[in-house]
Amino acid sequence: MPAPLQIEWLGRIGWREALEAQRKRVEARRADAGPDSLLLLEHPPVITLGRSADPAHLLESRAALAARGIEVQEAARGGSATYHGPGQLVGYLIVDLAARGVPDVHRFLRGIESDLIAAIEELGVAARALPGLTGVFADAPGTPRKLASIGVGLRGWVSFHGFALNVSLDPTAFAPIVPCGLAGIEIGSLARELGAGAGEDLDSRARAAVAAAFAARWDAP
């Protein structure tokens, strides 16, 4: 069996710095010289554009965004445009899927959704996946409210990139983009779903819940 998933909290770091951290871990994992790992962190404000991003999904010019302190970066992951910023928990999952016996991207994505749903529900918010869409949504009536986005890349069968869970950030931060290229959905957050019951320690509780949910599945015999 592979070694237990190594989970690290990196704090708030820049997108490029996190990309370099992933690169080193992917290279080590491919050489069988490092563990499977989950990097948990926050980013300063940045918009990332995945491989299927449409330029029309960026609703402001790069110059205007830069003037407001928001970077724009191209990312080698699936999906379209998304936003990262303080109050959002980002998880980069570096896992050798072949060694784990799951060389199946669809199954891998559904597993990430399942882990996030478990963590979100542990925090008191009902959540679900939606058929035909990747990500996690509030399980509530009305317009779907997206709580977590998922986009992964692969080097061989070693994964990188991962997910972004909206914890305490203001969903209006997504206004400069068409989130994930999807019309007809809203961006939600755990804080908004919980309302007055969110608590000042929601971000730290979310980190703990996500770490526990991923460890429970990836460390299972």
Side-chain angles (χ1 to χ4, degrees):
M1 285 296 297
L5 185 70
Q6 179 176 300
I7 301 175
E8 303 176 54
W9 167 242
L10 302 186
R12 187 175 299 174
I13 66 173
W15 188 83
R16 286 193 173 277
E17 183 181 355
L19 186 65
E20 178 64 12
Q22 291 180 78
R23 184 191 67 78
K24 290 178 179 178
R25 286 165 175 79
V26 168
E27 288 181 357
R29 191 68 191 95
R30 293 189 72 190
D32 202 23
D36 290 336
S37 55
L38 172 62
L39 308 180
L40 297 176
L41 53 102
E42 283 189 345
H43 284 313
V46 57
I47 290 168
T48 63
L49 306 175
R51 290 188 298 267
S52 61
D54 184 328
H57 295 160
L58 194 61
L59 304 179
E60 295 184 30
S61 71
R62 294 183 184 228
L65 291 166
R68 297 201 287 115
I70 302 173
E71 295 183 56
V72 179
Q73 300 283 356
E74 278 74 27
R77 58 161 174 80
S80 184
T82 196
Y83 170 86
H84 303 301
Q88 181 190 72
L89 180 62
V90 175
Y92 292 136
L93 194 58
I94 296 91
V95 172
D96 187 332
L97 300 183
R100 293 273 180 169
V102 285
D104 181 324
V105 175
H106 178 79
R107 182 179 167 193
F108 180 50
L109 292 172
R110 302 293 80 78
I112 294 174
E113 288 173 343
S114 177
D115 293 346
L116 289 171
I117 289 169
I120 290 167
E121 294 194 333
E122 179 66 23
L123 294 164
V125 176
R128 60 175 174 157
L130 293 180
L133 298 177
T134 296
V136 177
F137 299 79
D139 188 3
T143 302
R145 297 189 295 278
K146 194 170 191 179
L147 302 176
S149 299
I150 301 170
V152 301
L154 292 174
R155 293 285 184 268
W157 280 110
V158 176
S159 68
F160 65 112
H161 290 295
F163 61 85
L165 172 61
N166 301 331
V167 182
S168 62
L169 91 170
D170 182 347
T172 62
F174 284 77
I177 62 173
V178 179
C180 305
L182 298 175
I185 68 165
E186 296 178 0
I187 297 297
S189 71
L190 299 184
R192 181 165 289 186
E193 297 299 319
L194 289 167
E200 294 183 359
D201 63 345
L202 179 60
D203 289 279
S204 62
R205 288 190 290 115
R207 288 197 299 272
V210 167
F214 276 79
R217 181 164 66 93
W218 289 100
D219 294 349

Short mmCIF file of all heavy atoms in Angstrom, two decimals, residues 1 16 23 26 28 33 37 59 69 84 88 112 131 136 166 169 172 176 180 214-215 221:
data_model
loop_
_atom_site.label_atom_id
_atom_site.label_comp_id
_atom_site.label_asym_id
_atom_site.label_seq_id
_atom_site.Cartn_x
_atom_site.Cartn_y
_atom_site.Cartn_z
N MET A 1 0.84 -1.20 0.00
CA MET A 1 0.00 0.00 0.00
C MET A 1 0.87 1.25 0.00
O MET A 1 1.92 1.28 0.63
CB MET A 1 -0.89 0.03 1.25
CG MET A 1 -2.06 -0.94 1.19
SD MET A 1 -3.22 -0.54 -0.13
CE MET A 1 -3.79 1.07 0.42
N ARG A 16 2.27 31.48 -8.32
CA ARG A 16 3.47 30.92 -8.94
C ARG A 16 4.33 30.16 -7.93
O ARG A 16 4.94 29.14 -8.26
CB ARG A 16 4.28 32.02 -9.63
CG ARG A 16 3.66 32.50 -10.93
CD ARG A 16 4.60 33.35 -11.75
NE ARG A 16 4.05 33.65 -13.04
CZ ARG A 16 4.11 32.84 -14.11
NH1 ARG A 16 4.70 31.65 -13.99
NH2 ARG A 16 3.59 33.20 -15.26
N ARG A 23 5.29 21.52 -8.66
CA ARG A 23 6.22 20.94 -9.64
C ARG A 23 7.26 20.04 -8.96
O ARG A 23 7.51 18.92 -9.40
CB ARG A 23 6.92 22.05 -10.41
CG ARG A 23 7.84 21.54 -11.52
CD ARG A 23 8.70 22.64 -12.09
NE ARG A 23 9.66 23.13 -11.11
CZ ARG A 23 10.80 22.48 -10.78
NH1 ARG A 23 11.10 21.33 -11.35
NH2 ARG A 23 11.61 23.00 -9.88
N VAL A 26 5.55 16.87 -7.71
CA VAL A 26 5.19 15.97 -8.82
C VAL A 26 6.41 15.24 -9.33
O VAL A 26 6.39 14.02 -9.56
CB VAL A 26 4.51 16.77 -9.95
CG1 VAL A 26 4.38 15.91 -11.21
CG2 VAL A 26 3.11 17.24 -9.52
N ALA A 28 9.16 14.56 -7.71
CA ALA A 28 9.58 13.59 -6.70
C ALA A 28 8.66 12.38 -6.71
O ALA A 28 9.11 11.23 -6.60
CB ALA A 28 9.60 14.24 -5.32
N ALA A 33 10.21 9.21 -5.20
CA ALA A 33 11.10 9.75 -4.17
C ALA A 33 10.37 10.70 -3.23
O ALA A 33 11.00 11.44 -2.48
CB ALA A 33 12.27 10.49 -4.83
N SER A 37 0.66 13.78 -1.60
CA SER A 37 0.50 14.90 -0.69
C SER A 37 -0.68 15.78 -1.07
O SER A 37 -1.12 15.81 -2.23
CB SER A 37 1.77 15.75 -0.63
OG SER A 37 2.17 16.17 -1.92
N LEU A 59 -14.14 39.23 -17.84
CA LEU A 59 -15.05 40.35 -18.10
C LEU A 59 -14.40 41.72 -17.90
O LEU A 59 -15.03 42.73 -18.20
CB LEU A 59 -16.29 40.23 -17.19
CG LEU A 59 -17.06 38.91 -17.31
CD1 LEU A 59 -18.24 38.89 -16.34
CD2 LEU A 59 -17.52 38.67 -18.74
N GLY A 69 -4.98 45.00 -8.14
CA GLY A 69 -4.18 44.01 -7.40
C GLY A 69 -4.57 42.57 -7.66
O GLY A 69 -4.27 41.70 -6.84
N HIS A 84 -9.26 32.99 -7.11
CA HIS A 84 -8.72 32.60 -5.81
C HIS A 84 -8.41 33.84 -5.00
O HIS A 84 -7.95 34.85 -5.56
CB HIS A 84 -7.43 31.78 -5.96
CG HIS A 84 -7.56 30.55 -6.80
ND1 HIS A 84 -8.44 29.54 -6.49
CD2 HIS A 84 -6.92 30.16 -7.93
CE1 HIS A 84 -8.33 28.58 -7.39
NE2 HIS A 84 -7.42 28.94 -8.27
N GLN A 88 -10.65 31.67 0.90
CA GLN A 88 -10.92 30.49 0.08
C GLN A 88 -9.83 29.46 0.39
O GLN A 88 -8.64 29.79 0.40
CB GLN A 88 -10.90 30.84 -1.39
CG GLN A 88 -11.18 29.68 -2.34
CD GLN A 88 -10.91 30.07 -3.78
OE1 GLN A 88 -9.76 30.21 -4.17
NE2 GLN A 88 -11.98 30.28 -4.55
N ILE A 112 -12.88 13.48 -5.39
CA ILE A 112 -12.63 14.79 -4.80
C ILE A 112 -13.96 15.43 -4.39
O ILE A 112 -14.08 16.01 -3.30
CB ILE A 112 -11.86 15.70 -5.77
CG1 ILE A 112 -10.44 15.15 -6.00
CG2 ILE A 112 -11.79 17.13 -5.24
CD1 ILE A 112 -9.65 15.89 -7.06
N PRO A 131 -25.33 16.46 -11.69
CA PRO A 131 -25.03 15.64 -12.88
C PRO A 131 -24.51 16.51 -14.02
O PRO A 131 -25.07 17.57 -14.33
CB PRO A 131 -26.39 15.01 -13.22
CG PRO A 131 -27.15 15.02 -11.93
CD PRO A 131 -26.71 16.27 -11.22
N VAL A 136 -18.81 21.23 -6.39
CA VAL A 136 -19.74 20.96 -5.28
C VAL A 136 -20.64 22.17 -5.08
O VAL A 136 -20.17 23.32 -5.09
CB VAL A 136 -18.97 20.63 -3.99
CG1 VAL A 136 -19.94 20.41 -2.84
CG2 VAL A 136 -18.11 19.38 -4.19
N ASN A 166 -14.87 27.76 -1.27
CA ASN A 166 -15.19 29.10 -0.79
C ASN A 166 -15.66 29.02 0.66
O ASN A 166 -16.74 28.51 0.93
CB ASN A 166 -16.27 29.73 -1.66
CG ASN A 166 -15.86 29.82 -3.11
OD1 ASN A 166 -14.68 29.93 -3.43
ND2 ASN A 166 -16.83 29.75 -4.01
N LEU A 169 -14.80 33.92 2.03
CA LEU A 169 -14.64 35.02 1.09
C LEU A 169 -15.99 35.53 0.61
O LEU A 169 -17.00 34.83 0.66
CB LEU A 169 -13.77 34.61 -0.09
CG LEU A 169 -14.44 34.01 -1.35
CD1 LEU A 169 -13.44 33.92 -2.48
CD2 LEU A 169 -15.11 32.70 -1.07
N THR A 172 -18.81 38.03 -4.30
CA THR A 172 -18.76 39.07 -5.33
C THR A 172 -17.35 39.23 -5.90
O THR A 172 -17.17 39.89 -6.93
CB THR A 172 -19.25 40.42 -4.79
OG1 THR A 172 -18.39 40.85 -3.72
CG2 THR A 172 -20.68 40.33 -4.28
N PRO A 176 -15.47 39.64 -11.87
CA PRO A 176 -14.76 39.91 -13.13
C PRO A 176 -14.73 38.73 -14.11
O PRO A 176 -14.14 38.85 -15.19
CB PRO A 176 -13.33 40.23 -12.66
CG PRO A 176 -13.44 40.58 -11.23
CD PRO A 176 -14.56 39.74 -10.72
N CYS A 180 -16.02 29.40 -14.06
CA CYS A 180 -15.97 28.06 -14.65
C CYS A 180 -16.67 28.00 -16.00
O CYS A 180 -17.02 26.92 -16.49
CB CYS A 180 -16.55 27.02 -13.71
SG CYS A 180 -15.79 27.02 -12.08
N PHE A 214 -10.14 14.05 3.42
CA PHE A 214 -9.21 13.49 2.42
C PHE A 214 -8.37 12.38 3.04
O PHE A 214 -8.13 11.35 2.40
CB PHE A 214 -8.35 14.59 1.81
CG PHE A 214 -9.03 15.30 0.69
CD1 PHE A 214 -9.99 16.27 0.93
CD2 PHE A 214 -8.75 14.99 -0.63
CE1 PHE A 214 -10.65 16.92 -0.10
CE2 PHE A 214 -9.40 15.62 -1.68
CZ PHE A 214 -10.35 16.60 -1.41
N ALA A 215 -7.91 12.58 4.27
CA ALA A 215 -7.11 11.54 4.92
C ALA A 215 -7.92 10.26 5.09
O ALA A 215 -7.42 9.15 4.92
CB ALA A 215 -6.60 12.04 6.27
N PRO A 221 -7.23 1.47 3.99
CA PRO A 221 -6.56 0.28 3.44
C PRO A 221 -7.31 -0.25 2.21
O PRO A 221 -8.49 0.02 2.04
CB PRO A 221 -6.60 -0.71 4.59
CG PRO A 221 -7.75 -0.27 5.43
CD PRO A 221 -7.84 1.22 5.31
#
